[in-house]
Amino acid sequence: MPDDGSPPPGAAATVVLPFPPGLRREAVPKLCARLDELLRADAEAAVILDTTPVGRPDAVVVEAIARLVLVARRHHRLVQVHAPPRVWELLALTGLAPLVGLLTPAAAPTSTQQAQDVPGRR
């Protein structure tokens, strides 16, 4: 097994897209474009949306999750959302929870490809 952080041969890659703290609505299209770019580069990667850095979640976070899930679905990819309970509550309140995909407890995700330099940071 390589120790350079790359996956073992035959292992599926995972794209982890961390949400920036203080996510702003104007940054959402850039996040979507970034995910689209990452998924075009890796035809098999699964997607983890990591919402744990956002702090206090709001409607912008819910919108971003919904739009990013649509991007991933267009590429026929699996999506996991790492989220604190407050994000789950907002997704359930908006009726989006069943459409989002797999929700997992907030934890530090392991990745083979970390999407850094995501626009929208304050």
Side-chain angles (χ1 to χ4, degrees):
M1 180 156 106
D3 43 343
D4 62 357
S6 62
T14 302
V15 171
V16 178
L17 189 68
F19 281 40
L23 178 64
R24 300 171 68 110
R25 181 163 273 118
E26 58 268 12
V28 175
K30 293 176 185 171
L31 275 172
C32 292
R34 177 71 176 136
L35 180 60
D36 186 63
E37 174 187 321
L38 291 168
L39 294 179
R40 286 179 193 276
D42 189 332
E44 308 250 334
V47 177
I48 296 177
L49 304 177
D50 183 9
T51 67
T52 55
V54 298
R56 184 181 166 119
D58 57 14
V60 175
V61 172
V62 172
E63 176 186 347
I65 292 169
R67 290 178 64 181
L68 289 163
V69 167
L70 286 174
V71 170
R73 285 186 178 179
R74 285 184 192 120
H75 287 275
H76 307 286
R77 305 303 171 83
L78 299 175
V79 178
Q80 270 189 312
V81 179
H82 285 275
R86 188 80 174 114
V87 172
W88 296 5
E89 292 167 7
L90 287 173
L91 289 169
L93 182 67
T94 60
L96 292 173
L99 303 175
V100 167
L102 183 59
L103 295 170
T104 57
T110 305
S111 73
T112 56
Q113 183 176 9
Q114 185 79 25
Q116 297 297 328
D117 302 320
V118 176
R121 296 178 195 241
R122 285 190 197 184

